[in-house]
Amino acid sequence: MRLVGYIRVSTDRQVEDGFGLAVQEKMIRTWCRQHDHALGRAVYRDEGYSGTLPAPERPALADALSEVEDGLAEGIVVGRLDRLARRLTQEAILAQVWKSDGHVFTTDQGEILQDDPEDPMRTAMRQMMGVFSELEHSMIVARLRAGRKEKAVQGGYAYGAPPYGWQAIAGELVEHPAEQVGLTRARELRTAGASLREICRRLEIEQFPPRQSDRWHPEAVRRMLQHEAPHTLRPRTS
Protein backbone atom coordinates (compact mmCIF):
# COMPACT_ATOMS: atom_id res chain seq x y z
CA MET A 1 0.00 0.00 0.00
CA ARG A 2 0.96 3.64 -0.38
CA LEU A 3 1.10 4.95 3.17
CA VAL A 4 1.81 8.27 4.84
CA GLY A 5 3.80 8.32 8.07
CA TYR A 6 2.91 10.41 11.13
CA ILE A 7 5.05 11.03 14.23
CA ARG A 8 4.37 13.15 17.31
CA VAL A 9 5.84 14.22 20.63
CA SER A 10 4.04 16.43 23.10
CA THR A 11 7.03 17.41 25.28
CA ASP A 12 10.83 17.31 25.34
CA ARG A 13 10.51 14.62 28.01
CA GLN A 14 9.44 12.08 25.41
CA VAL A 15 12.77 12.59 23.66
CA GLU A 16 14.52 11.84 26.93
CA ASP A 17 12.36 8.74 27.44
CA GLY A 18 13.61 7.26 24.19
CA PHE A 19 10.54 7.69 21.97
CA GLY A 20 11.38 10.90 20.20
CA LEU A 21 10.66 11.87 16.61
CA ALA A 22 13.79 10.24 15.16
CA VAL A 23 13.04 6.93 16.90
CA GLN A 24 9.43 6.93 15.70
CA GLU A 25 10.42 7.71 12.11
CA LYS A 26 13.01 4.92 12.09
CA MET A 27 10.41 2.46 13.39
CA ILE A 28 7.94 3.49 10.68
CA ARG A 29 10.44 3.26 7.82
CA THR A 30 11.75 -0.11 9.02
CA TRP A 31 8.23 -1.51 9.42
CA CYS A 32 7.20 -0.35 5.94
CA ARG A 33 10.25 -2.00 4.36
CA GLN A 34 9.60 -5.23 6.22
CA HIS A 35 5.95 -5.33 5.12
CA ASP A 36 6.48 -4.09 1.54
CA HIS A 37 4.52 -0.87 1.95
CA ALA A 38 5.52 2.28 0.05
CA LEU A 39 6.04 5.24 2.36
CA GLY A 40 5.49 8.75 1.06
CA ARG A 41 8.44 11.08 0.75
CA ALA A 42 7.38 13.09 3.78
CA VAL A 43 6.79 11.76 7.28
CA TYR A 44 4.49 14.29 8.89
CA ARG A 45 5.58 15.44 12.33
CA ASP A 46 3.84 17.36 15.11
CA GLU A 47 6.26 18.55 17.77
CA GLY A 48 4.81 19.87 21.01
CA TYR A 49 1.21 18.82 20.33
CA SER A 50 -0.84 16.82 22.80
CA GLY A 51 -2.48 13.60 21.63
CA THR A 52 -5.76 14.85 23.08
CA LEU A 53 -5.99 17.64 20.47
CA PRO A 54 -8.36 17.02 17.54
CA ALA A 55 -6.89 16.69 14.05
CA PRO A 56 -7.65 20.28 12.89
CA GLU A 57 -5.51 21.61 15.75
CA ARG A 58 -2.49 19.51 14.74
CA PRO A 59 -1.14 20.83 11.42
CA ALA A 60 0.93 17.78 10.45
CA LEU A 61 -1.84 15.30 11.31
CA ALA A 62 -4.33 17.36 9.32
CA ASP A 63 -1.99 17.22 6.31
CA ALA A 64 -1.50 13.46 6.68
CA LEU A 65 -5.25 12.83 6.89
CA SER A 66 -5.80 15.05 3.86
CA GLU A 67 -3.55 12.76 1.80
CA VAL A 68 -5.74 9.80 2.73
CA GLU A 69 -8.97 11.71 2.05
CA ASP A 70 -7.67 12.93 -1.34
CA GLY A 71 -6.60 9.43 -2.37
CA LEU A 72 -2.89 10.31 -2.43
CA ALA A 73 -2.25 7.65 0.23
CA GLU A 74 -4.15 4.50 1.11
CA GLY A 75 -3.53 4.74 4.83
CA ILE A 76 -1.52 6.18 7.69
CA VAL A 77 1.15 4.47 9.80
CA VAL A 78 2.37 5.45 13.28
CA GLY A 79 4.87 4.04 15.76
CA ARG A 80 2.18 3.38 18.36
CA LEU A 81 -1.52 4.11 18.39
CA ASP A 82 -1.11 6.68 21.18
CA ARG A 83 1.06 8.74 18.79
CA LEU A 84 -2.01 9.15 16.62
CA ALA A 85 -4.21 10.28 19.51
CA ARG A 86 -5.23 9.72 23.10
CA ARG A 87 -8.60 9.13 24.75
CA LEU A 88 -11.74 9.79 22.72
CA THR A 89 -9.77 11.74 20.12
CA GLN A 90 -8.32 8.41 19.00
CA GLU A 91 -11.73 7.03 18.02
CA ALA A 92 -12.65 10.19 16.10
CA ILE A 93 -9.45 10.11 14.04
CA LEU A 94 -9.77 6.40 13.30
CA ALA A 95 -13.34 6.99 12.10
CA GLN A 96 -12.14 9.84 9.89
CA VAL A 97 -9.56 7.62 8.16
CA TRP A 98 -12.00 4.72 7.74
CA LYS A 99 -14.64 7.05 6.31
CA SER A 100 -12.18 7.76 3.47
CA ASP A 101 -11.67 4.00 2.95
CA GLY A 102 -8.18 4.42 4.39
CA HIS A 103 -6.21 2.09 6.62
CA VAL A 104 -4.41 2.67 9.92
CA PHE A 105 -1.26 0.77 10.85
CA THR A 106 1.02 0.80 13.88
CA THR A 107 4.49 -0.70 13.94
CA ASP A 108 3.71 -2.74 17.05
CA GLN A 109 0.20 -4.04 16.16
CA GLY A 110 -0.05 -3.97 12.38
CA GLU A 111 -3.37 -2.85 10.90
CA ILE A 112 -6.01 -1.44 13.22
CA LEU A 113 -9.10 -3.10 11.75
CA GLN A 114 -12.37 -1.24 11.34
CA ASP A 115 -15.22 -1.87 13.75
CA ASP A 116 -17.33 -4.91 12.88
CA PRO A 117 -20.90 -5.16 14.22
CA GLU A 118 -20.48 -8.95 14.15
CA ASP A 119 -17.40 -8.71 16.38
CA PRO A 120 -17.98 -6.12 19.16
CA MET A 121 -14.98 -7.49 21.08
CA ARG A 122 -12.67 -5.98 18.46
CA THR A 123 -13.84 -2.47 19.32
CA ALA A 124 -13.86 -3.19 23.05
CA MET A 125 -10.28 -4.52 23.02
CA ARG A 126 -8.99 -1.50 21.09
CA GLN A 127 -10.68 0.90 23.47
CA MET A 128 -9.41 -1.04 26.48
CA MET A 129 -5.87 -0.81 25.11
CA GLY A 130 -6.37 2.93 24.83
CA VAL A 131 -7.49 3.09 28.45
CA PHE A 132 -4.46 1.12 29.64
CA SER A 133 -2.14 3.24 27.52
CA GLU A 134 -3.57 6.35 29.15
CA LEU A 135 -3.18 4.73 32.59
CA GLU A 136 0.46 3.96 31.85
CA HIS A 137 1.00 7.55 30.75
CA SER A 138 -0.64 8.88 33.93
CA MET A 139 1.51 6.60 36.12
CA ILE A 140 4.69 7.80 34.42
CA VAL A 141 3.63 11.41 34.97
CA ALA A 142 2.90 10.65 38.64
CA ARG A 143 6.34 9.06 39.11
CA LEU A 144 8.03 12.03 37.45
CA ARG A 145 6.17 14.43 39.73
CA ALA A 146 7.25 12.48 42.79
CA GLY A 147 10.85 12.46 41.58
CA ARG A 148 10.77 16.19 40.93
CA LYS A 149 9.41 16.89 44.39
CA GLU A 150 12.21 14.87 45.95
CA LYS A 151 14.83 16.60 43.81
CA ALA A 152 13.39 20.00 44.69
CA VAL A 153 13.61 19.14 48.40
CA GLN A 154 17.31 18.45 47.87
CA GLY A 155 17.74 21.87 46.28
CA GLY A 156 18.18 20.96 42.57
CA TYR A 157 16.37 22.01 39.43
CA ALA A 158 13.44 19.61 39.21
CA TYR A 159 11.16 20.61 36.38
CA GLY A 160 12.16 18.45 33.40
CA ALA A 161 13.86 19.76 30.28
CA PRO A 162 14.52 23.52 30.63
CA PRO A 163 12.60 25.74 28.21
CA TYR A 164 14.27 27.25 25.17
CA GLY A 165 16.83 29.84 26.22
CA TRP A 166 17.77 28.09 29.45
CA GLN A 167 19.92 25.19 30.61
CA ALA A 168 20.42 23.29 33.86
CA ILE A 169 24.00 23.27 35.15
CA ALA A 170 24.89 21.63 38.46
CA GLY A 171 21.24 21.71 39.49
CA GLU A 172 20.84 25.41 38.71
CA LEU A 173 18.89 26.96 35.84
CA VAL A 174 20.99 29.48 33.89
CA GLU A 175 20.71 31.26 30.56
CA HIS A 176 21.81 29.46 27.39
CA PRO A 177 23.73 32.25 25.53
CA ALA A 178 23.05 31.18 21.92
CA GLU A 179 19.40 30.34 22.58
CA GLN A 180 18.87 33.64 24.41
CA VAL A 181 19.84 35.45 21.20
CA GLY A 182 17.22 33.47 19.28
CA LEU A 183 14.65 34.05 22.01
CA THR A 184 15.30 37.80 21.93
CA ARG A 185 14.93 37.82 18.14
CA ALA A 186 11.62 35.97 18.34
CA ARG A 187 10.31 38.50 20.88
CA GLU A 188 11.37 41.37 18.62
CA LEU A 189 9.51 39.87 15.68
CA ARG A 190 6.39 39.24 17.76
CA THR A 191 6.41 42.79 19.10
CA ALA A 192 6.64 44.03 15.50
CA GLY A 193 3.45 42.12 14.71
CA ALA A 194 4.84 39.00 13.04
CA SER A 195 2.67 35.88 13.11
CA LEU A 196 3.94 32.67 14.68
CA ARG A 197 4.49 31.15 11.23
CA GLU A 198 6.40 34.22 10.09
CA ILE A 199 8.60 34.01 13.20
CA CYS A 200 9.30 30.35 12.36
CA ARG A 201 10.35 31.35 8.86
CA ARG A 202 12.59 34.19 10.04
CA LEU A 203 14.30 32.10 12.72
CA GLU A 204 15.13 29.45 10.14
CA ILE A 205 16.41 32.02 7.62
CA GLU A 206 18.55 33.66 10.29
CA GLN A 207 19.82 30.22 11.38
CA PHE A 208 18.49 30.04 14.92
CA PRO A 209 17.98 26.26 15.27
CA PRO A 210 15.22 24.76 17.42
CA ARG A 211 16.35 22.42 20.15
CA GLN A 212 14.91 19.04 19.18
CA SER A 213 13.59 19.34 15.63
CA ASP A 214 14.95 20.20 12.20
CA ARG A 215 12.55 23.13 11.80
CA TRP A 216 10.48 25.54 13.86
CA HIS A 217 6.75 24.96 14.45
CA PRO A 218 4.23 27.67 15.42
CA GLU A 219 3.23 25.87 18.64
CA ALA A 220 6.88 25.62 19.74
CA VAL A 221 7.31 29.36 19.16
CA ARG A 222 4.11 30.12 21.05
CA ARG A 223 5.32 28.17 24.10
CA MET A 224 8.74 29.77 23.86
CA LEU A 225 7.22 33.25 23.99
CA GLN A 226 4.66 32.45 26.66
CA HIS A 227 6.82 33.46 29.62
CA GLU A 228 9.57 35.99 30.05
CA ALA A 229 11.45 33.49 32.22
CA PRO A 230 10.88 29.95 33.55
CA HIS A 231 8.50 29.90 36.50
CA THR A 232 11.33 28.74 38.78
CA LEU A 233 13.11 32.06 38.18
CA ARG A 234 10.12 34.36 38.47
CA PRO A 235 9.58 36.01 41.84
CA ARG A 236 6.81 34.53 43.95
CA THR A 237 3.67 36.59 44.37
CA SER A 238 1.68 36.69 47.56
Side-chain angles (χ1 to χ4, degrees):
M1 289 187 184
R2 292 175 291 109
L3 302 178
V4 58
Y6 174 72
I7 57 181
R8 178 186 66 82
V9 292
S10 56
T11 64
D12 290 338
R13 186 179 66 250
Q14 289 178 330
V15 177
E16 299 168 357
D17 290 345
F19 204 60
L21 297 174
V23 173
Q24 294 177 49
E25 182 169 351
K26 182 178 180 180
M27 290 171 63
I28 287 172
R29 293 191 181 280
T30 299
W31 184 86
C32 284
R33 285 197 302 269
Q34 292 174 343
H35 294 81
D36 296 323
H37 292 300
L39 188 63
R41 288 180 298 174
V43 173
Y44 290 97
R45 53 176 60 198
D46 275 325
E47 181 179 9
Y49 288 83
S50 169
T52 61
L53 291 174
E57 295 182 30
R58 284 188 267 162
L61 178 58
D63 289 341
L65 293 174
S66 292
E67 287 209 19
V68 178
E69 293 172 356
D70 295 341
L72 301 176
E74 297 174 80
I76 185 170
V77 56
V78 293
R80 291 192 316 232
L81 193 55
D82 65 359
R83 296 304 85 201
L84 188 64
R86 290 187 179 277
R87 301 175 185 167
L88 294 178
T89 308
Q90 170 184 294
E91 298 300 307
I93 294 175
L94 288 172
Q96 184 174 346
V97 175
W98 292 332
K99 183 179 180 181
S100 302
D101 294 325
H103 302 262
V104 177
F105 298 89
T106 71
T107 61
D108 59 346
Q109 298 179 54
E111 183 170 6
I112 306 300
L113 297 175
Q114 294 192 43
D115 295 339
D116 181 354
E118 302 298 326
D119 184 13
M121 283 298 294
R122 177 188 298 175
T123 303
M125 289 299 295
R126 183 186 70 245
Q127 294 175 344
M128 286 174 63
M129 289 178 66
V131 169
F132 282 113
S133 175
E134 188 65 27
L135 174 61
E136 179 186 21
H137 173 72
S138 298
M139 292 177 67
I140 290 173
V141 171
R143 287 197 297 269
L144 286 171
R145 285 175 178 167
R148 288 172 182 171
K149 288 180 180 179
E150 178 61 26
K151 190 173 182 180
V153 168
Q154 298 175 7
Y157 175 71
Y159 297 91
Y164 189 88
W166 306 87
Q167 59 187 332
I169 298 180
E172 296 293 331
L173 202 61
V174 298
E175 292 185 352
H176 186 296
E179 290 185 355
Q180 282 290 325
V181 177
L183 181 57
T184 298
R185 179 59 175 146
R187 289 171 178 160
E188 290 174 350
L189 291 167
R190 191 60 167 169
T191 300
S195 67
L196 295 178
R197 291 191 181 278
E198 175 63 17
I199 294 174
C200 290
R201 191 181 71 84
R202 294 300 308 175
L203 291 177
E204 290 172 2
I205 290 175
E206 297 175 22
Q207 299 185 342
F208 293 108
R211 182 175 293 172
Q212 297 291 351
S213 179
D214 57 354
R215 67 186 185 91
W216 284 99
H217 296 269
E219 179 63 17
V221 171
R222 185 193 65 78
R223 294 200 318 272
M224 179 175 70
L225 297 174
Q226 191 170 10
H227 300 298
E228 289 296 318
H231 68 276
T232 53
L233 298 182
R234 297 198 298 272
R236 294 183 178 180
T237 58
S238 56

